[in-house]
Amino acid sequence: MRLAIIGAALLAAGAVAVVTGILPWSEVQVLVARVGPIMGFVAAMTVVTDLASDAGVFQWGADRIRRWASGRSYVLWLLLAAMAVLSTIFLSIDTTAVLLTPVVVTVTRQTGLPVLPFALATVWLANTASLLLPVSNLTNLLAQHNLDGISPAGFASLMWASSLAAIIIPLAFIALVFRRDLQRTYAPGPKKVIDQGSRTSVPGKPRADRILLPGTAAVLVLLLPALVSGLPVWLPASIAAVALLALFGFRRPRSLTINLVPWSLLLFTSGLFLVMEAARYLGLPELAGQVAGRGEGFPELLRLAATGALASNVVNNLPAYLLVEPLADTPLRTAALLIGVNAGPLITPWASLATLLWHDRLRKMNVLISWRGFALYGMIVAPVTLVAAVDLLALTARVA
């Protein structure tokens, strides 16, 4: 509800900018043409991932991971981290934050392990692992447009080295700080726990639907390559959403509610786009340019990434990207900005929407997180990650 209220206020402010002539109507039309397909993708993917969670796909994967780890906490943590990385890369940052977080908490409770190293890896990877593909993050989809519709393969070839650094460094930090917790063992058989806030199945609940689970898994298997095929991403996402809606209409119609569509998120994002477009039209990016600098050398790219990271932690990574985007006038500078706004929001809770959603899921499951500790860890990891990721970006650009 708070997100919807903020979105409504932003839309109202944007409407005032249009009515008063601050933002010309022609610019609004250009904005709608640019972000409309992106918003359609967000809505369709939310439907897909929510229904996939309802079918038990994520819990099924987590159950197998718990067994494969054979009682070794370190292996379990690495496997769940890999699950978070794949979820983020192919299904988006918010999927990992919203749907995988309850699964991770449930698995750790089943095994009697401390939640923090697993939950922290989930939220950090939801942010930092979102560099590789356009579908991984809303900022990437915006950048894809800024890069003249670069193909997913081209996008990945630009970002792969930085993405690797942004995944390894946070994991290395957690492995070092929580090494004692991760050296523990657990009984491979799950403990029975009470599901608090998760839509996924846990021990004691009915077995997964024998048609819904494989049917939903098949849709996901077909969807993932389609998302990186070069087609407009809203198209395969919409087809997958329609297919799952039809499947659930046949097997579990009670799951088909109006809340499947993320109305609050769409309202918030639409209002944010409109307000930031007005700010861009008023020349705010020129002010940011005095901090971000110009050029494609390592120092200049790092300044740009740091500007994006700082703005993300002050306001949010989406408006930060929109504000600084005019300064990212080459593919290399766009990549540096993405490093800042994707891998940099690890300090403040509002730096990315995914972090807020992650915390909301933890709160509903009675998992308490210290924001002071979260910020202190982030102040160590974020700068190291930015420097390493930008350095690899500059290095691979020189080699190419």
Side-chain angles (χ1 to χ4, degrees):
M1 180 60 68
R2 287 194 297 267
L3 199 64
I5 293 173
I6 295 172
L10 290 171
L11 277 177
V16 170
V18 175
V19 170
T20 57
I22 295 175
L23 179 61
W25 178 247
S26 60
E27 295 296 328
V28 177
Q29 293 176 308
V30 172
L31 177 66
V32 171
R34 177 184 182 185
V35 305
I38 295 175
M39 302 298 286
F41 166 77
V42 171
M45 281 302 297
T46 302
V47 171
V48 168
T49 52
D50 272 353
L51 292 179
S53 177
D54 202 329
V57 171
F58 292 103
Q59 187 63 48
W60 181 88
D63 289 344
R64 268 62 188 172
I65 284 174
R66 189 188 64 246
R67 296 189 188 120
W68 293 339
S70 301
R72 294 165 293 176
S73 301
Y74 210 104
V75 176
L76 177 67
W77 176 75
L78 285 173
L79 290 174
L80 286 173
M83 190 175 181
V85 169
L86 294 175
S87 169
T88 300
I89 290 174
F90 291 103
L91 298 178
S92 87
I93 174 176
D94 294 330
T95 296
T96 301
V98 174
L99 300 179
L100 193 57
T101 298
V103 173
V104 168
V105 172
T106 300
V107 169
T108 55
R109 283 176 171 167
Q110 289 172 346
T111 55
L113 297 173
V115 174
L116 186 55
F118 294 84
L120 192 59
T122 302
V123 70
W124 277 359
L125 291 173
N127 287 280
T128 63
S130 66
L131 281 169
L132 188 62
L133 293 176
V135 298
S136 306
N137 200 322
L138 184 55
T139 55
N140 297 0
L141 291 173
L142 292 169
Q144 186 181 30
H145 182 278
N146 195 40
L147 293 170
D148 298 323
I150 187 173
S151 69
F155 193 97
S157 67
L158 179 65
M159 303 299 302
W160 71 269
S162 300
S163 180
L164 192 61
I167 291 170
I168 291 176
I169 290 174
L171 286 178
F173 178 85
I174 295 174
L176 177 63
V177 172
F178 296 96
R179 58 188 179 278
R180 291 185 179 178
D181 290 332
L182 296 176
Q183 289 171 357
R184 296 171 57 175
T185 59
Y186 64 91
K191 298 179 180 180
K192 288 189 177 182
V193 297
I194 299 174
D195 184 24
Q196 305 176 64
S198 171
R199 298 178 62 189
T200 56
S201 59
V202 296
K205 287 194 171 184
R207 298 173 71 89
D209 188 296
R210 293 184 178 180
I211 294 179
L212 272 184
L213 180 57
T216 302
V219 170
L220 290 178
V221 168
L222 294 174
L223 173 62
L224 297 186
L227 289 175
V228 298
S229 66
L231 291 170
V233 290
W234 64 266
L235 181 59
S238 299
I239 294 173
V242 170
L244 289 183
L245 287 171
L247 181 60
F248 271 77
F250 173 67
R251 295 294 297 181
R252 193 180 293 170
R254 67 180 182 275
S255 296
L256 304 183
T257 69
I258 195 68
N259 292 327
L260 280 174
V261 178
W263 302 110
S264 296
L265 176 60
L266 295 177
L267 186 63
F268 171 78
T269 308
S270 299
L272 196 57
F273 278 136
L274 194 57
V275 168
M276 292 309 301
E277 188 66 21
R280 288 176 58 176
Y281 199 77
L282 289 173
L284 195 57
E286 282 70 21
L287 297 177
Q290 298 178 16
V291 179
R294 301 284 180 180
E296 294 189 339
F298 171 72
E300 291 77 17
L301 294 177
L302 186 59
R303 281 180 63 185
L304 180 58
T307 301
L310 178 62
S312 297
N313 284 289
V314 171
V315 283
N316 179 268
N317 67 334
L318 184 55
Y321 175 82
L322 294 172
L323 173 64
V324 187
E325 184 190 55
L327 306 175
D329 48 6
T330 68
L332 207 57
R333 287 182 62 80
T334 298
L337 175 57
L338 287 176
I339 291 171
V341 298
N342 289 11
L346 304 181
I347 301 173
T348 59
W350 55 81
S352 75
L353 181 60
T355 303
L356 291 174
L357 295 172
W358 167 80
H359 181 259
D360 181 65
R361 293 287 169 161
L362 292 182
R363 180 182 57 82
K364 290 179 179 178
M365 300 185 77
N366 297 319
V367 177
L368 301 179
I369 295 292
S370 166
W371 284 123
R372 177 180 296 180
F374 182 88
L376 288 175
Y377 285 155
M379 290 174 67
I380 298 171
V381 174
V384 176
T385 302
L386 289 188
V387 171
V390 173
D391 185 41
L392 286 176
L393 174 68
L395 179 63
T396 52
R398 288 196 299 269
V399 172

